[in-house]
Protein backbone atom coordinates (compact mmCIF):
# COMPACT_ATOMS: atom_id res chain seq x y z
CA UNK A 1 0.00 0.00 0.00
CA UNK A 2 0.97 3.67 -0.24
CA UNK A 3 3.25 5.20 2.31
CA UNK A 4 4.22 8.74 3.23
CA UNK A 5 7.35 8.45 1.11
CA UNK A 6 5.26 7.63 -1.94
CA UNK A 7 3.12 10.72 -1.53
CA UNK A 8 6.31 12.80 -1.80
CA UNK A 9 6.22 11.98 -5.52
CA UNK A 10 3.37 14.46 -5.80
CA UNK A 11 5.87 17.24 -5.05
CA UNK A 12 7.80 16.52 -8.26
CA UNK A 13 6.93 18.38 -11.51
CA UNK A 14 5.10 15.33 -12.88
CA UNK A 15 3.36 14.75 -9.56
CA UNK A 16 2.21 18.37 -9.44
CA UNK A 17 0.95 18.07 -12.99
CA UNK A 18 -1.15 15.05 -11.98
CA UNK A 19 -2.25 16.42 -8.62
CA UNK A 20 -3.67 19.58 -10.18
CA UNK A 21 -5.95 17.53 -12.44
CA UNK A 22 -6.92 15.01 -9.80
CA UNK A 23 -7.75 17.68 -7.26
CA UNK A 24 -9.89 19.50 -9.81
CA UNK A 25 -11.80 16.32 -10.66
CA UNK A 26 -12.42 15.28 -7.05
CA UNK A 27 -13.48 18.82 -6.12
CA UNK A 28 -16.15 18.66 -8.81
CA UNK A 29 -17.20 15.06 -8.08
CA UNK A 30 -17.78 15.48 -4.34
CA UNK A 31 -19.44 18.90 -4.40
CA UNK A 32 -22.92 17.61 -5.29
CA UNK A 33 -22.96 14.54 -3.00
CA UNK A 34 -25.00 14.98 0.17
CA UNK A 35 -25.28 12.92 3.33
CA UNK A 36 -23.64 12.56 6.73
CA UNK A 37 -20.46 10.48 6.39
CA UNK A 38 -17.62 10.66 3.86
CA UNK A 39 -14.35 8.70 3.88
CA UNK A 40 -11.19 9.00 1.81
CA UNK A 41 -9.10 5.83 1.72
CA UNK A 42 -5.43 6.31 0.84
CA UNK A 43 -3.19 9.34 0.28
CA UNK A 44 -4.21 10.95 3.60
CA UNK A 45 -1.74 13.83 3.09
CA UNK A 46 -3.86 15.08 0.17
CA UNK A 47 -7.35 16.34 1.00
CA UNK A 48 -9.55 15.19 -1.86
CA UNK A 49 -12.64 15.80 0.31
CA UNK A 50 -11.94 19.50 0.79
CA UNK A 51 -14.87 20.55 -1.42
CA UNK A 52 -17.39 18.12 0.08
CA UNK A 53 -20.48 19.47 1.88
CA UNK A 54 -20.81 16.36 4.03
CA UNK A 55 -20.23 17.31 7.71
CA UNK A 56 -18.19 14.25 8.80
CA UNK A 57 -15.11 13.71 6.61
CA UNK A 58 -12.55 11.06 7.57
CA UNK A 59 -9.26 9.87 6.08
CA UNK A 60 -8.35 6.20 6.30
CA UNK A 61 -4.98 4.66 5.43
CA UNK A 62 -2.52 1.93 6.39
CA UNK A 63 -0.04 4.55 7.58
CA UNK A 64 -0.60 6.54 10.76
CA UNK A 65 -1.19 9.84 8.93
CA UNK A 66 -4.85 8.99 8.42
CA UNK A 67 -7.44 9.68 11.11
CA UNK A 68 -8.34 5.98 10.90
CA UNK A 69 -5.58 3.40 10.46
CA UNK A 70 -6.81 0.32 8.61
CA UNK A 71 -6.30 -1.96 5.64
CA UNK A 72 -8.61 -0.97 2.73
CA UNK A 73 -9.48 -4.66 2.31
CA UNK A 74 -11.04 -4.66 5.80
CA UNK A 75 -12.59 -1.27 6.47
CA UNK A 76 -13.57 -0.67 10.13
CA UNK A 77 -16.91 0.91 9.28
CA UNK A 78 -20.43 -0.41 9.73
CA UNK A 79 -22.24 -1.81 6.73
CA UNK A 80 -24.31 0.76 4.84
CA UNK A 81 -22.92 3.66 6.87
CA UNK A 82 -21.14 5.87 4.30
CA UNK A 83 -22.65 8.31 1.83
CA UNK A 84 -19.40 8.99 -0.03
CA UNK A 85 -16.22 6.95 -0.42
CA UNK A 86 -13.06 7.98 -2.29
CA UNK A 87 -10.40 5.51 -3.49
CA UNK A 88 -7.55 7.56 -5.02
CA UNK A 89 -5.04 5.06 -6.46
CA UNK A 90 -5.87 2.33 -3.94
CA UNK A 91 -6.78 -0.57 -6.22
CA UNK A 92 -3.47 -0.75 -8.10
CA UNK A 93 -1.50 -0.90 -4.83
CA UNK A 94 -3.61 -3.59 -3.20
CA UNK A 95 -2.88 -7.32 -3.26
CA UNK A 96 -6.62 -7.95 -3.72
CA UNK A 97 -8.31 -5.01 -5.48
CA UNK A 98 -11.56 -6.92 -5.91
CA UNK A 99 -11.80 -7.30 -2.13
CA UNK A 100 -11.28 -3.53 -1.77
CA UNK A 101 -14.26 -2.91 -4.04
CA UNK A 102 -16.27 -5.51 -2.15
CA UNK A 103 -15.60 -3.61 1.07
CA UNK A 104 -16.55 -0.35 -0.64
CA UNK A 105 -19.90 -1.83 -1.63
CA UNK A 106 -20.47 -3.13 1.90
CA UNK A 107 -19.91 0.18 3.72
CA UNK A 108 -21.82 2.36 1.24
CA UNK A 109 -25.44 3.22 1.88
CA UNK A 110 -28.01 2.53 -0.84
CA UNK A 111 -27.50 5.28 -3.43
CA UNK A 112 -24.11 6.05 -1.87
CA UNK A 113 -21.38 7.33 -4.19
CA UNK A 114 -17.96 5.79 -4.89
CA UNK A 115 -15.28 7.86 -6.66
CA UNK A 116 -11.94 6.32 -7.60
CA UNK A 117 -8.82 7.16 -9.59
CA UNK A 118 -6.49 4.69 -11.25
CA UNK A 119 -3.47 4.58 -13.54
CA UNK A 120 -4.31 3.44 -17.06
CA UNK A 121 -2.08 0.63 -18.46
CA UNK A 122 -3.21 1.43 -22.02
CA UNK A 123 -1.54 4.81 -22.16
CA UNK A 124 1.86 6.42 -22.44
CA UNK A 125 2.09 6.08 -18.68
CA UNK A 126 1.46 2.35 -18.95
CA UNK A 127 4.07 2.09 -21.72
CA UNK A 128 6.64 3.90 -19.57
CA UNK A 129 5.95 1.47 -16.73
CA UNK A 130 6.56 -1.53 -19.04
CA UNK A 131 9.77 -0.12 -20.53
CA UNK A 132 11.38 1.08 -17.32
CA UNK A 133 9.91 -1.38 -14.83
CA UNK A 134 9.04 -0.80 -11.20
CA UNK A 135 12.56 0.23 -10.18
CA UNK A 136 11.55 3.88 -10.55
CA UNK A 137 9.32 3.53 -7.47
CA UNK A 138 5.91 5.14 -7.15
CA UNK A 139 3.69 5.09 -9.17
CA UNK A 140 5.41 2.63 -11.51
CA UNK A 141 5.59 -0.12 -8.88
CA UNK A 142 1.80 -0.47 -8.87
CA UNK A 143 -0.28 -2.99 -10.81
CA UNK A 144 -2.12 -0.82 -13.32
CA UNK A 145 -5.64 -2.15 -13.89
CA UNK A 146 -7.65 -1.89 -17.10
CA UNK A 147 -10.68 0.32 -16.72
CA UNK A 148 -12.86 -2.36 -18.34
CA UNK A 149 -11.89 -4.86 -15.63
CA UNK A 150 -12.69 -2.39 -12.86
CA UNK A 151 -16.08 -1.68 -14.45
CA UNK A 152 -16.83 -5.41 -14.65
CA UNK A 153 -16.04 -5.82 -10.96
CA UNK A 154 -18.35 -2.94 -10.14
CA UNK A 155 -21.22 -4.45 -12.11
CA UNK A 156 -20.81 -7.78 -10.31
CA UNK A 157 -20.99 -6.00 -6.95
CA UNK A 158 -24.08 -3.96 -7.81
CA UNK A 159 -22.22 -0.69 -8.29
CA UNK A 160 -23.61 1.21 -11.26
CA UNK A 161 -21.07 3.32 -13.14
CA UNK A 162 -22.51 6.83 -13.30
CA UNK A 163 -19.64 8.89 -14.75
CA UNK A 164 -16.04 8.67 -15.89
CA UNK A 165 -13.20 10.76 -17.24
CA UNK A 166 -9.51 10.66 -18.14
CA UNK A 167 -6.56 13.03 -17.92
CA UNK A 168 -2.78 13.21 -18.38
CA UNK A 169 -2.36 12.43 -22.08
CA UNK A 170 1.17 13.85 -22.05
CA UNK A 171 4.07 11.39 -21.70
CA UNK A 172 5.21 11.09 -18.06
CA UNK A 173 8.32 13.25 -18.30
CA UNK A 174 9.43 14.69 -14.98
CA UNK A 175 10.63 18.03 -16.32
CA UNK A 176 8.50 21.13 -16.01
CA UNK A 177 9.70 22.72 -19.26
CA UNK A 178 8.77 19.62 -21.29
CA UNK A 179 5.41 19.37 -19.58
CA UNK A 180 4.70 22.95 -20.65
CA UNK A 181 5.76 22.27 -24.22
CA UNK A 182 3.52 19.21 -24.45
CA UNK A 183 0.42 20.80 -22.93
CA UNK A 184 -1.26 20.80 -26.36
CA UNK A 185 -1.63 17.02 -25.98
CA UNK A 186 -4.27 17.37 -23.26
CA UNK A 187 -7.12 18.78 -25.39
CA UNK A 188 -5.94 16.79 -28.42
CA UNK A 189 -5.89 13.53 -26.46
CA UNK A 190 -9.28 14.16 -24.93
CA UNK A 191 -10.68 14.60 -28.43
CA UNK A 192 -8.79 12.06 -30.52
CA UNK A 193 -7.56 9.47 -28.02
CA UNK A 194 -10.25 9.51 -25.35
CA UNK A 195 -9.25 6.20 -23.73
CA UNK A 196 -5.52 6.91 -23.72
CA UNK A 197 -5.20 9.14 -20.67
CA UNK A 198 -2.59 8.18 -18.10
CA UNK A 199 -5.17 8.36 -15.31
CA UNK A 200 -8.86 7.49 -15.29
CA UNK A 201 -11.66 8.44 -12.91
CA UNK A 202 -14.82 6.46 -12.23
CA UNK A 203 -17.93 7.34 -10.26
CA UNK A 204 -20.34 4.61 -9.22
CA UNK A 205 -23.61 4.51 -7.29
CA UNK A 206 -24.68 1.62 -5.07
CA UNK A 207 -28.02 0.42 -6.37
CA UNK A 208 -30.44 -1.69 -4.34
CA UNK A 209 -33.09 -3.57 -6.24
CA UNK A 210 -36.62 -2.54 -5.25
CA UNK A 211 -39.79 -4.52 -4.92
CA UNK A 212 -42.11 -4.90 -7.92
CA UNK A 213 -45.81 -4.47 -7.12
CA UNK A 214 -47.95 -7.13 -8.82
CA UNK A 215 -51.57 -6.13 -9.43
CA UNK A 216 -54.34 -8.77 -9.53
CA UNK A 217 -55.62 -9.86 -12.91
CA UNK A 218 -59.13 -8.38 -13.07
CA UNK A 219 -61.54 -10.47 -15.11
CA UNK A 220 -63.98 -7.77 -16.24
CA UNK A 221 -63.58 -4.24 -17.64
CA UNK A 222 -65.99 -2.97 -14.97
CA UNK A 223 -63.68 -4.07 -12.19
CA UNK A 224 -60.78 -2.29 -13.89
CA UNK A 225 -62.73 1.00 -13.91
CA UNK A 226 -63.53 0.60 -10.21
CA UNK A 227 -59.81 0.47 -9.36
CA UNK A 228 -58.81 3.76 -7.64
CA UNK A 229 -55.75 5.02 -5.69
CA UNK A 230 -55.65 4.03 -2.03
CA UNK A 231 -55.86 6.72 0.62
CA UNK A 232 -53.22 5.13 2.83
CA UNK A 233 -49.78 6.81 2.78
CA UNK A 234 -46.79 4.48 2.95
CA UNK A 235 -43.96 5.52 5.25
CA UNK A 236 -40.92 5.05 3.00
CA UNK A 237 -38.47 5.24 5.88
CA UNK A 238 -40.15 2.37 7.72
CA UNK A 239 -40.39 0.45 4.46
CA UNK A 240 -36.65 0.84 3.88
CA UNK A 241 -35.85 -0.30 7.42
CA UNK A 242 -37.92 -3.45 6.92
CA UNK A 243 -36.18 -4.16 3.63
CA UNK A 244 -32.68 -3.74 5.16
CA UNK A 245 -33.33 -6.14 8.08
Amino acid sequence: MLSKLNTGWYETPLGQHLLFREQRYFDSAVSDVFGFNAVQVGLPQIDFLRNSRIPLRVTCAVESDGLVRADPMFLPFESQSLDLLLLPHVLEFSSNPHQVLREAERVLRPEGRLVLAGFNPRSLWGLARKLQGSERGYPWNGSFLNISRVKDWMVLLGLEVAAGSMCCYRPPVNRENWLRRLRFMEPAGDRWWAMGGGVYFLQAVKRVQGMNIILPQWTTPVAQRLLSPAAKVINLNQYRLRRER
Side-chain angles (χ1 to χ4, degrees):
M1 299 303 298
L2 299 181
S3 67
K4 187 172 182 180
L5 294 177
N6 290 331
T7 58
W9 176 83
Y10 279 91
E11 299 177 1
T12 66
L14 183 59
Q16 288 290 300
H17 162 68
L18 172 60
L19 179 58
F20 172 77
R21 282 152 183 81
E22 290 191 331
Q23 192 76 73
R24 183 172 59 181
Y25 184 86
F26 279 107
D27 284 348
S28 175
V30 306
S31 63
D32 60 348
V33 180
F34 300 93
F36 300 97
N37 305 313
V39 172
Q40 173 186 326
V41 178
L43 296 177
Q45 296 83 16
I46 304 172
D47 186 8
F48 288 124
L49 284 170
R50 67 180 186 182
N51 208 36
S52 174
R53 304 180 189 183
I54 295 178
L56 180 60
R57 300 185 294 272
V58 175
T59 56
C60 176
V62 173
E63 59 267 33
S64 59
D65 293 333
L67 184 61
V68 177
R69 188 173 185 180
D71 190 326
M73 292 190 294
F74 307 99
L75 295 175
F77 305 111
E78 293 182 357
S79 299
Q80 302 186 12
S81 62
L82 305 183
D83 301 282
L84 175 63
L85 179 64
L86 306 187
L87 298 177
H89 302 294
V90 174
L91 298 184
E92 54 260 62
F93 294 95
S94 171
S95 59
N96 192 342
H98 190 268
Q99 171 61 23
V100 175
L101 284 179
R102 187 181 292 112
E103 276 293 275
E105 187 277 335
R106 181 186 66 83
V107 300
L108 280 174
R109 295 179 185 271
E111 303 301 316
R113 181 68 62 100
L114 169 67
V115 186
L116 63 82
F119 291 106
N120 182 15
R122 298 179 179 178
S123 66
L124 294 176
W125 290 56
L127 179 62
R129 174 180 174 274
K130 286 185 177 181
L131 294 178
Q132 302 185 30
S134 61
E135 292 77 11
R136 297 172 61 186
Y138 182 85
W140 320 110
N141 56 349
S143 299
F144 293 8
L145 300 172
N146 288 327
I147 188 172
S148 58
R149 176 182 296 182
V150 177
K151 286 182 177 180
D152 289 342
W153 287 343
M154 287 182 171
V155 171
L156 291 175
L157 293 170
L159 298 169
E160 180 180 309
V161 178
S165 182
M166 285 200 173
C167 71
C168 297
Y169 294 91
R170 291 174 242 195
V173 293
N174 206 6
R175 295 185 179 181
E176 189 173 354
N177 58 337
W178 275 104
L179 289 172
R180 286 198 303 267
R181 292 178 184 177
L182 297 172
R183 61 177 176 267
F184 71 91
M185 295 183 68
E186 294 299 323
D190 195 32
R191 182 175 181 181
W192 301 109
W193 195 23
M195 299 301 293
V199 172
Y200 58 81
F201 304 97
L202 287 175
Q203 297 185 47
V205 179
K206 179 178 178 179
R207 300 298 189 192
V208 177
Q209 296 297 326
M211 181 183 299
N212 294 326
I213 300 177
I214 302 177
L215 295 176
Q217 297 295 324
W218 301 103
T219 57
T220 63
V222 176
Q224 292 180 6
R225 289 197 297 268
L226 292 176
L227 184 63
S228 61
K232 182 180 178 181
V233 177
I234 299 175
N235 189 319
L236 294 179
N237 291 328
Q238 293 180 359
Y239 173 76
R240 176 173 293 177
L241 287 176
R242 291 198 299 269
R243 290 280 295 167
E244 291 179 353
R245 288 175 182 173

Coordinates of all heavy atoms in Angstrom, one line a residue, residues 13 82 104 129-130 143-144 148 154 156-157 172 185 193 206 216 228:
P13 N 7.7 17.7 -10.4 CA 6.9 18.4 -11.5 C 5.8 17.5 -12.1 O 4.7 18.0 -12.3 CB 8.0 18.7 -12.5 CG 9.3 18.8 -11.7 CD 9.1 17.8 -10.6
L82 N -21.8 4.8 5.0 CA -21.1 5.9 4.3 C -22.0 6.4 3.1 O -22.5 5.6 2.4 CB -19.7 5.5 3.8 CG -18.8 4.9 4.9 CD1 -17.4 4.6 4.2 CD2 -18.7 5.8 6.1
A104 N -15.9 -1.6 -0.3 CA -16.5 -0.4 -0.6 C -18.1 -0.5 -0.8 O -18.8 0.3 -0.3 CB -15.9 0.2 -1.9
R129 N 5.8 2.4 -17.8 CA 6.0 1.5 -16.7 C 6.5 0.2 -17.3 O 7.4 -0.5 -16.6 CB 4.6 1.2 -16.1 CG 4.6 0.1 -15.0 CD 3.2 0.0 -14.4 NE 3.2 -1.2 -13.5 CZ 2.9 -2.4 -13.9 NH1 2.7 -2.7 -15.2 NH2 2.9 -3.4 -13.0
K130 N 6.1 -0.3 -18.5 CA 6.6 -1.5 -19.0 C 8.0 -1.4 -19.5 O 8.8 -2.3 -19.3 CB 5.7 -1.9 -20.2 CG 4.3 -2.4 -19.9 CD 3.6 -2.9 -21.1 CE 2.3 -3.5 -20.7 NZ 1.5 -4.0 -22.0
S143 N 0.3 -2.1 -9.8 CA -0.3 -3.0 -10.8 C -1.4 -2.2 -11.5 O -2.6 -2.2 -11.0 CB -0.8 -4.3 -10.2 OG 0.3 -5.0 -9.6
F144 N -1.1 -1.6 -12.6 CA -2.1 -0.8 -13.3 C -3.2 -1.7 -13.8 O -3.0 -2.8 -14.4 CB -1.5 -0.1 -14.5 CG -0.5 1.0 -14.1 CD1 -0.1 1.2 -12.8 CD2 0.0 1.8 -15.1 CE1 0.8 2.1 -12.5 CE2 0.9 2.8 -14.8 CZ 1.3 3.0 -13.5
S148 N -11.8 -1.4 -18.0 CA -12.9 -2.4 -18.3 C -13.0 -3.4 -17.3 O -14.1 -3.8 -16.9 CB -12.6 -3.0 -19.7 OG -11.4 -3.7 -19.7
M154 N -17.3 -3.8 -10.7 CA -18.4 -2.9 -10.1 C -19.7 -3.5 -10.5 O -20.6 -3.6 -9.6 CB -18.2 -1.5 -10.7 CG -17.1 -0.7 -10.1 SD -17.0 1.0 -10.8 CE -15.8 1.7 -9.7
L156 N -20.6 -6.6 -11.1 CA -20.8 -7.8 -10.3 C -21.2 -7.5 -8.9 O -21.9 -8.3 -8.2 CB -19.6 -8.7 -10.3 CG -19.2 -9.3 -11.7 CD1 -17.9 -10.0 -11.6 CD2 -20.3 -10.3 -12.1
L157 N -20.7 -6.4 -8.3 CA -21.0 -6.0 -7.0 C -22.2 -5.1 -6.8 O -22.6 -4.7 -5.7 CB -19.8 -5.3 -6.4 CG -18.5 -6.1 -6.2 CD1 -17.3 -5.3 -5.9 CD2 -18.7 -7.2 -5.1
P172 N 4.8 10.8 -19.5 CA 5.2 11.1 -18.1 C 6.7 11.5 -17.9 O 7.5 10.9 -17.3 CB 4.9 9.8 -17.4 CG 5.2 8.7 -18.4 CD 4.7 9.3 -19.7
M185 N -1.2 18.4 -25.9 CA -1.6 17.0 -26.0 C -2.9 16.8 -25.1 O -3.6 15.8 -25.4 CB -0.5 16.1 -25.6 CG 0.7 16.1 -26.5 SD 2.0 14.8 -26.1 CE 1.1 13.3 -26.4
W193 N -8.0 10.7 -28.7 CA -7.6 9.5 -28.0 C -8.2 9.4 -26.6 O -7.5 9.4 -25.6 CB -6.0 9.5 -27.9 CG -5.4 8.2 -27.6 CD1 -6.0 6.9 -27.8 CD2 -4.1 7.9 -27.0 NE1 -5.1 5.9 -27.4 CE2 -4.0 6.5 -26.9 CE3 -3.1 8.8 -26.6 CZ2 -2.8 6.0 -26.4 CZ3 -2.0 8.2 -26.1 CH2 -1.8 6.8 -25.9
K206 N -24.2 2.9 -5.6 CA -24.7 1.6 -5.1 C -26.2 1.5 -5.3 O -26.9 2.3 -4.7 CB -24.3 1.5 -3.6 CG -24.8 0.1 -3.0 CD -24.4 0.0 -1.6 CE -24.9 -1.3 -0.9 NZ -24.5 -1.4 0.5
P216 N -53.5 -7.6 -9.2 CA -54.3 -8.8 -9.5 C -54.9 -8.7 -11.0 O -55.0 -7.6 -11.5 CB -55.5 -8.7 -8.5 CG -55.6 -7.3 -8.1 CD -54.1 -6.8 -8.1
S228 N -59.2 2.4 -7.9 CA -58.8 3.8 -7.6 C -57.6 3.8 -6.7 O -57.4 2.8 -5.9 CB -60.0 4.5 -7.0 OG -60.4 3.9 -5.8

